[in-house]
Amino acid sequence: MNDLTISPFLLAIIFGLISFLYSSVGLGGGSSYSALMAIIGVNYLVLPSISLTLNLIVTFIGSINYVRSGHAKLKILFPFLITSIPMSYIGGLITLPKNVFYFMLMITLIFVALRIYLFDSPSIQLNLGDKSRIRLSLVIGAFLGFIAGTVGIGGGIYLVPLIIVFGLGTEKQAAATGALFIWLNSLAGVAARVNSFPDVNTILPLCSAVLIGGLGGSFLGSNKFKPKTMQKLLGILIIIAILFLFK
């Protein structure tokens, strides 16, 4: 991380804010961690490892808070994990060319912004049979798992509205599922990238910052905050990141 153009202290504060916002809706923040590090010039080869590690910290805390609040439903989560975990590991083994990596990151951020502002309130629910739900869950899990492993983005921000569309659970249950999904897939992605892990002294301040932010955000998100309000704030953050990446 020798190319940093801002102080490590300021970077840690920003990461803490990101984790606070994301954890309030059951997410890890991987999309914004990756975008911010790309903007300030972090080597793209270690970028996914850092994002996935920070995802692990934030969503672990979020998972505990959502489980304690009674929102976690393993029967919702399990079908997605069957394919997502192995695909996240496979994705972590792949080293993409720099241009392809940044293209995937940009496209992912754009879709996240579209999801927040155009599809923030799923107005339909599919009347699917059990077999159809399982098939779709397997396909979606594989796709999101691969994205998690290659780019360092957990995929929970896409999974949460799909759970609602499938009629699998409430908003709080969807957020809880998203947190658990991101944590397990981030773990698989980190395991595949253990050889490209950055120096511990470099990443430790960021880990501490997202730990503090995740504690506050996940607690308030599981008990106080309205998910839609927090997602709008996330959208602003992501749009700013997109604009910087386009420069």
Side-chain angles (χ1 to χ4, degrees), residues 84-202:
S84 69
I85 291 178
M87 287 304 293
S88 180
Y89 186 83
I90 291 171
L93 295 174
I94 298 173
T95 300
L96 298 173
K98 186 175 182 179
N99 290 340
V100 175
F101 176 85
Y102 280 116
F103 175 77
M104 288 183 63
L105 176 59
M106 177 65 73
I107 292 299
T108 302
L109 289 171
I110 291 172
F111 272 102
V112 169
L114 290 174
R115 207 291 279 166
I116 290 174
Y117 286 106
L118 298 182
F119 306 101
D120 66 321
S121 301
S123 58
I124 61 171
Q125 284 196 4
L126 301 178
N127 294 318
L128 300 174
D130 290 340
K131 291 184 178 180
S132 296
R133 287 181 179 178
I134 291 174
R135 292 191 192 101
L136 276 175
S137 298
L138 293 173
V139 172
I140 292 168
F143 176 76
L144 295 182
F146 184 77
I147 294 296
T150 54
V151 184
I153 294 174
I157 200 164
Y158 301 117
L159 182 63
V160 169
L162 290 174
I163 289 173
I164 298 172
V165 169
F166 289 173
L168 298 176
T170 64
E171 284 189 355
K172 293 290 187 181
Q173 290 171 343
T177 302
L180 290 164
F181 179 88
I182 296 169
W183 190 84
L184 290 166
N185 284 287
S186 295
L187 182 62
V190 167
R193 293 180 174 274
V194 66
N195 292 327
S196 64
F197 200 79
D199 179 70
V200 174
N201 292 329
T202 299

Side-chain angles (χ1 to χ4, degrees), residues 19 57-58 61 206-216:
S19 69
I57 296 171
V58 177
I61 299 166
L206 302 180
C207 292
S208 301
V210 300
L211 174 63
I212 295 170
L215 282 169

